[in-house]
Amino acid sequence: MTPEQQRHRNQLAFVASGAELEIGERADCPLPLEQLVATTGTEPYMREYFSGGLTAHVYRIHAGGRDWTLKRARERCKVQNLDGQTSFLNEIQRRAELRALKRDPRFATGLRAIVDTHYASFRHGVLLSPWIDGEPVRTWDERQLVELFEALLALLLGGLFEWDLCPGNTLDDGQIRLFDFGYMYPFDPLRQFNSNGTATPEFHAAERFETRQFFAHLLPLERQGDRLALAAFDTEKRIALETYRRLRSELDARGASTTVVDWLSDIITGWQQGLNGDLDALYLREAWRSHWLDLQDDLDGQTCTAATFSRIDWLEQAVRERYHDLQLLVSVEAAETLQTKLRNARRMARQWQVTA
Ligand SMILES: Nc1ncnc2c1ncn2[C@@H]1O[C@H](COP(=O)(O)OP(=O)(O)OP(=O)(O)O)[C@@H](O)[C@H]1O
Ligand SMILES: [Mg+2]
């Protein structure tokens, strides 16, 4: 059984058992639990309703003199796969672990970015956090990148792997904040690359950020001229490199397997070579990987947006203009095969278009 199958099995067994998983004290809720459970979005304490959430109804409420985020589980998650079906339970499980990690002095600073959980009950389908008075991240400047990677480092060392670092899951209120843990899974950082064990070495924290978010952010910069995009990429990569060096030395000191240490060393060496030499080649390699993977994600989830079409445009242009360079950097199929696949992708994306 793969680690993923094992997790699904354990989570489904937990759901079937009828057991409760609670974080915090019911008595500390700013409104009676029954009232939170019955919230529909029309109450006087309601400030805002986010209807977009796939797993949960998300409300901004006002109670006890401040604003809170109330997440209520949907009867049925809109994502029709096992990860989707178990994502609310998963989020509460991870929040219980995060709460413990945040209280551990070794992780407290690194996990500043992680929103607190004031109260949660799996059986009542309720999750209450302080409201983050922030904005989506538009620029990804140095301060924001440093804060994000600091949080990622602490999460990895704490044994938690975040898969979904998409723009909708990061906010900035003067400090980068993470608050959606529906697709964060536990793993053993000393022996595993991510929550798939050692089966998928291509997925790691910096890759997740670049794929789900950062390369989409670089697209408009590319249109203003390659120099801007390359400079932004250089900043991000240097911060990622420093983070991975710290990660490797920490894991090494804790007795990580050579498989894990060598895997990190290979990534670090590849980045170093790009940063000290051909930055453009490193950019092309990471951009290709990011746009390709995220496109597959959008098609698999049947949720395509304007960003999906921008990615297809980028990939088509890369095949047209940089195919020779690509061949030297990554293993790619024949140009005609790629063009056919991208044409099909565009057709499917039109079919599955949703508004962002
Ligand atoms: N604590 C918070 N403070 C401020 N805004 C929040 C907070 N929690 C959630 N939001 C807002 O609500 C939106 C949806 O929240 P969240 O991502 O947690 O829900 P979700 O159902 O898991 O969504 P999805 O499955 O679509 O990712 C976020 O994109 C964000 O704008
Ligand atoms: Mg989300």
Side-chain angles (χ1 to χ4, degrees):
M1 215 186 300
T2 64
E4 189 182 29
Q5 288 167 332
Q6 188 72 52
R7 171 168 45 78
H8 287 152
R9 172 189 276 215
N10 291 344
Q11 289 181 325
L12 292 174
F14 185 90
V15 174
S17 75
E20 168 68 307
L21 176 59
E22 203 177 19
I23 302 176
E25 302 292 329
R26 196 179 286 210
D28 291 340
C29 286
L31 291 170
L33 181 57
E34 296 65 36
Q35 210 172 341
L36 293 176
V37 173
T39 297
T40 60
T42 55
E43 296 75 7
Y45 53 83
M46 190 57 54
R47 284 250 162 124
E48 249 177 295
Y49 171 40
F50 295 84
S51 53
L54 297 172
T55 311
H57 301 279
V58 179
Y59 309 96
R60 175 184 183 178
I61 63 170
H62 187 81
R66 61 175 300 177
D67 285 4
W68 305 89
T69 305
L70 168 65
K71 260 182 130 171
R72 262 198 333 100
R74 287 186 183 278
E75 281 290 303
R76 187 165 293 191
C77 175
K78 287 189 176 178
V79 181
Q80 297 298 339
N81 58 29
L82 269 177
D83 280 334
Q85 302 309 311
T86 50
S87 61
F88 197 77
L89 169 62
N90 191 72
E91 168 136 39
I92 297 186
Q93 289 179 325
R94 299 296 79 78
R95 279 172 179 262
E97 292 153 9
L98 284 165
R99 194 150 126 133
L101 279 180
K102 281 177 72 122
R103 289 177 177 179
D104 181 331
R106 289 174 304 161
F107 296 105
T109 317
L111 295 180
R112 263 179 317 204
I114 304 293
V115 74
D116 286 327
T117 302
H118 189 76
Y119 178 79
S121 157
F122 175 63
R123 290 298 154 189
H124 289 93
V126 158
L127 211 164
L128 198 67
S129 278
W131 173 257
I132 302 161
D133 195 11
E135 296 285 326
V137 187
R138 302 203 193 285
T139 47
W140 284 111
D141 62 24
E142 188 155 347
R143 191 253 318 155
Q144 293 169 320
L145 289 163
V146 166
E147 288 173 1
L148 175 75
F149 276 95
E150 184 145 6
L152 294 178
L153 176 65
L155 288 171
L156 294 170
L157 291 172
L160 294 170
F161 191 87
E162 173 55 56
W163 286 89
D164 194 11
L165 288 168
C166 67
N169 289 342
T170 47
L171 285 172
D172 184 5
D173 66 351
Q175 148 85 51
I176 290 295
R177 304 280 175 192
L178 303 178
F179 50 86
D180 178 359
F181 313 110
Y183 298 89
M184 175 186 277
Y185 303 125
F187 80 117
D188 176 2
L190 299 182
R191 318 214 176 298
Q192 301 179 324
F193 303 147
N194 52 49
S195 60
N196 294 328
T198 52
T200 54
E202 66 273 30
F203 297 119
H204 50 94
E207 173 282 321
R208 286 289 79 206
F209 170 61
E210 291 169 3
T211 297
R212 297 295 284 141
Q213 172 156 197
F214 192 62
F215 271 96
H217 156 73
L218 292 179
L219 283 173
L221 291 187
E222 282 185 29
R223 276 178 230 122
Q224 294 171 46
D226 286 347
R227 286 242 315 281
L228 272 179
L230 271 176
F233 176 66
D234 183 81
T235 303
E236 184 261 352
K237 243 352 177 200
R238 285 184 195 281
I239 294 165
L241 176 65
E242 182 52 31
T243 306
Y244 274 39
R245 283 199 184 118
R246 280 164 67 195
L247 175 65
R248 180 180 57 182
S249 87
E250 185 72 29
L251 292 178
D252 203 17
R254 287 208 222 152
S257 69
T258 45
T259 311
V260 164
V261 175
D262 291 350
W263 167 74
L264 280 173
S265 293
D266 285 347
I267 297 173
I268 288 170
T269 307
W271 289 353
Q272 261 168 340
Q273 284 168 353
L275 286 167
N276 298 330
D278 194 347
L279 185 64
D280 185 55
L282 181 62
Y283 188 104
L284 181 61
R285 195 181 75 189
E286 306 290 54
W288 176 266
R289 185 249 5 242
S290 296
H291 293 309
W292 193 264
L293 279 181
D294 214 49
L295 172 61
Q296 302 314 314
D297 241 32
D298 286 355
L299 294 176
D300 289 347
Q302 306 191 356
T303 44
C304 299
T305 62
T308 317
F309 293 100
S310 304
R311 284 197 197 91
I312 298 175
D313 292 342
W314 189 96
L315 290 162
E316 283 182 338
Q317 190 179 350
V319 175
R320 255 194 334 267
E321 295 172 9
R322 313 267 332 244
Y323 186 72
H324 181 68
D325 295 336
L326 270 174
Q327 267 184 315
L328 300 173
L329 294 169
V330 284
S331 71
V332 279
E333 296 169 288
E336 296 78 59
T337 314
L338 290 172
Q339 273 155 352
T340 310
K341 284 191 174 176
L342 287 167
R343 259 198 310 277
N344 289 337
R346 192 181 289 279
R347 229 192 14 253
M348 289 188 285
R350 278 200 200 104
Q351 214 171 309
W352 292 325
Q353 203 167 353
V354 296
T355 44

